[in-house]
Every structure is written in C-alpha cells, then in structure tokens.
C-alpha cells in the first residue's frame, strides 16, 4: 500500500496508543512513531491535542486526530481497501461500540486506581483497595467472556475471523492486565472462569499486527514500579 504521511505521537507502554498502532498495522500503513518523554509533553502534542493534551494523536497529511477510538475509526474509513475493523452489521457495530465504551468509562479507571493505590496507606487499607479493584476487574472480564460468545459467533476474535474494533479496544489492555496479575498474584483471565478469553488472548497477542506493539509484561511491571516511586517522590515534595 502507498505510504501516506502519517505520524503518531505516543509512548510504547500506552494501551491507547497501541490501539492506533494495531489499526495502522492491520491496514499496512507505515508511520513515524514520535515518542513522548516520560513526565513531559512535547510542543507538538500540546498544539495537536490542546483539549486533552493526551496521547495518542495521529497526524495524517498535517491534520491531527485525537482519541484512540476516534483514530481507529478514522483509520478504518480512510484505508477502506484494507481489512475492515468496524463490523459492517449495524447491530454488531453497536455491540462492539457499547463494550468499548464500557471498557474505557468503567473498567479501565479501575485498572488505573490499582496502579495508583497509595503505598503509604496502612497495609490493610491498601490490600482492601487493591482487592476491591481486582474483584471489579474480574467481574468485568467475566462479562466480556459472555460478550465474546455473542460477538465472535463461534470464531476466534470478537470481530469474527479477524481482529476487529473490540479486539483492538480490549486487547490493548492485555499487557496492563497481565502486569496486574503478576504484581498482585491473581489470575483475571483463566481456563476455568474465562476459557474463551484465554484462547482469544493468546491468538490476539501473537497476531502479526499486534505482537511487536504489545509490551512484555515484565517491562510493564518495571515501569509500574518506576512510576510508583515517581508518584511517591512528587507527593512528598
Ligand atoms: N480517552 C483517551 C485516553 C488517552 C490517555 O489517557 N492517554 C494517556 C496515556 S496512556 C495520557 O496521555 N496521559 C497523560 C495525561 O493524562 O496528562 C484515548 O482514548 O485516547
């Protein structure tokens, strides 16, 4: 496919940035990856996303597009000759958008609250706070196990035979999920409670459009520790 002028402002560990990268890979669109430095925001980011000042931002032929799922939809529409990302059936599409909104509005904030739980709090409070969060994440994952059977219709991905919108929306959080599992000694996706998601997670992670952008769990665990220290130092100063 012809190379367009595509730049992506992001960071390797961001699940939201990953969404844009996976969508671009699915469509075989080459792009320049402009990595932000941890703890600061580039002038280009501030100018391109003045409302939220967040990554990802995709710049296509000089025009900025913000918000990960907006970017994924844009990529699907612009490079329409590649594999389709959004389901063509209106109901399937509504279902995929519903679950993606659930993930971003309800589920991911809990992932964040686990990561930012304050270590200086009494151990009991910390364990309870993290424990409640982990339980809520587990409930969400179980609901997604159910959604998987409705969306995939017996195939390997939420999108059916190929990776689609909801695969990208949820799959981009797999790295974080695995880091939480590792750091808290829990299993959120497993053979007993979520067998379909377990199989899906393996296929998704090894997909050619995904495998090079999904960070290793160990690297995310390391980053989480660095960020926790950074937060502790700035709250003490
Ligand atoms: N709703 C946004 C969320 C993006 C987001 O939260 N990005 C994070 C990185 S993972 C960010 O830029 N955080 C910087 C900040 O909050 O100032 C999307 O889907 O793109």
């Amino acid at each position: 496919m012809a190379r367009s002028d595509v730049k992506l402002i992001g960071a390797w560990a961001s699940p939201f940035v990953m969404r844009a990268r996976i969508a671009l890979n699915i469509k075989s669109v080459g792009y320049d990856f402009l990595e932000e430095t941890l703890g600061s925001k580039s002038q280009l980011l501030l100018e391109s996303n003045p409302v939220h000042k967040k990554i990802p931002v995709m710049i296509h032929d000089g025009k900025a597009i913000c918000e990960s799922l907006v970017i994924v939809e844009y990529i699907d529409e612009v490079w329409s000759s590649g594999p389709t990302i959004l389901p063509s059936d209106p109901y399937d599409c509504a279902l995929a958008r519903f679950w993606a909104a659930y993930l971003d509005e309800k589920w991911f904030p809990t992932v964040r609250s686990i990561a930012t739980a304050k270590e200086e709090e009494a151990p009991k409070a910390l364990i309870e706070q993290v424990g409640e969060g982990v339980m809520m994440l587990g409930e969400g994952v179980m609901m997604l196990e159910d959604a998987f059977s409705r969306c995939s219709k017996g195939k390997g991905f939420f999108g059916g035979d190929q990776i689609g919108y909801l695969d990208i929306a949820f799959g981009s959080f797999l790295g974080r999920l695995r880091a939480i599992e590792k750091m808290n000694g829990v299993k959120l996706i497993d053979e007993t409670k979520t067998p379909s998601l377990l199989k899906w997670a393996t296929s998704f992670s090894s997909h050619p459009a995904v495998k090079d952008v999904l960070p290793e769990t160990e690297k995310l665990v390391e980053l989480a520790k660095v960020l926790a220290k950074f937060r502790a130092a700035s709250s003490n100063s």
Side-chain angles (χ1 to χ4, degrees):
M1 209 169 276
R3 191 176 166 100
S4 318
D5 181 17
V6 178
K7 295 181 180 66
L8 184 68
I9 311 177
W12 66 269
S14 162
F16 299 104
V17 172
M18 228 169 286
R19 290 174 172 173
R21 299 180 79 189
I22 294 169
L24 288 167
N25 287 348
I26 286 175
K27 300 283 186 175
S28 304
V29 177
Y31 60 95
D32 293 325
F33 191 37
L34 311 178
E35 286 222 57
E36 289 288 302
T37 313
L38 187 68
S40 67
K41 296 186 190 215
S42 68
Q43 198 52 36
L44 182 63
L45 171 62
L46 297 175
E47 279 164 13
S48 312
N49 189 355
V51 176
H52 297 299
K53 305 177 180 67
K54 287 186 179 188
I55 50 173
V57 177
M58 188 173 100
I59 304 176
H60 179 214
D61 291 337
K63 291 170 295 194
I65 304 109
C66 306
E67 285 292 310
S68 61
L69 293 176
V70 175
I71 296 173
V72 170
E73 294 200 26
Y74 177 87
I75 292 169
D76 199 28
E77 278 177 357
V78 171
W79 290 278
S80 55
S81 59
T84 49
I85 293 175
L86 276 151
S88 50
D89 176 80
Y91 181 70
D92 292 345
C93 198
L95 215 53
R97 284 191 169 120
F98 169 84
W99 283 110
Y102 164 79
L103 283 167
D104 282 11
E105 288 160 22
K106 292 263 184 228
W107 192 82
F108 189 68
T110 309
V111 172
R112 261 204 183 122
S113 72
I114 292 177
T116 53
K118 295 215 170 22
E119 287 203 32
E120 68 267 23
E121 277 181 24
K124 190 167 175 287
L126 181 66
I127 289 165
E128 271 170 18
Q129 195 184 343
V130 171
E132 258 174 46
V134 168
M135 203 190 302
M136 195 271 169
L137 288 189
E139 282 165 13
V141 169
M142 303 263 278
M143 287 197 270
L144 280 148
E145 170 80 8
D146 193 44
F148 183 81
S149 60
R150 272 179 287 140
C151 295
S152 67
K153 301 182 178 115
K155 310 253 172 76
F157 294 104
F158 283 94
D161 282 320
Q162 57 193 30
I163 285 185
Y165 186 74
L166 188 50
D167 294 284
I168 297 175
F170 185 35
S172 61
F173 292 138
L174 273 177
R176 288 284 182 99
L177 201 72
R178 288 174 178 148
I180 288 177
E181 288 184 328
K182 191 151 196 163
M183 294 174 84
N184 297 283
V186 291
K187 274 273 164 227
L188 292 163
I189 295 186
D190 72 8
E191 184 60 58
T192 329
K193 285 183 286 190
T194 56
S196 309
L197 285 185
L198 184 66
K199 223 166 139 208
W200 162 81
T202 308
S203 319
F204 181 82
S205 310
S206 56
H207 189 281
V210 176
K211 63 178 173 27
D212 295 333
V213 299
L214 196 66
E216 287 164 26
T217 311
E218 210 46 62
K219 272 182 84 181
L220 288 172
V221 169
E222 281 314 306
L223 180 67
K225 288 179 186 162
V226 170
L227 290 175
K229 276 193 195 142
F230 188 70
R231 267 192 303 271
S234 50
S235 71
N236 291 337
S237 62

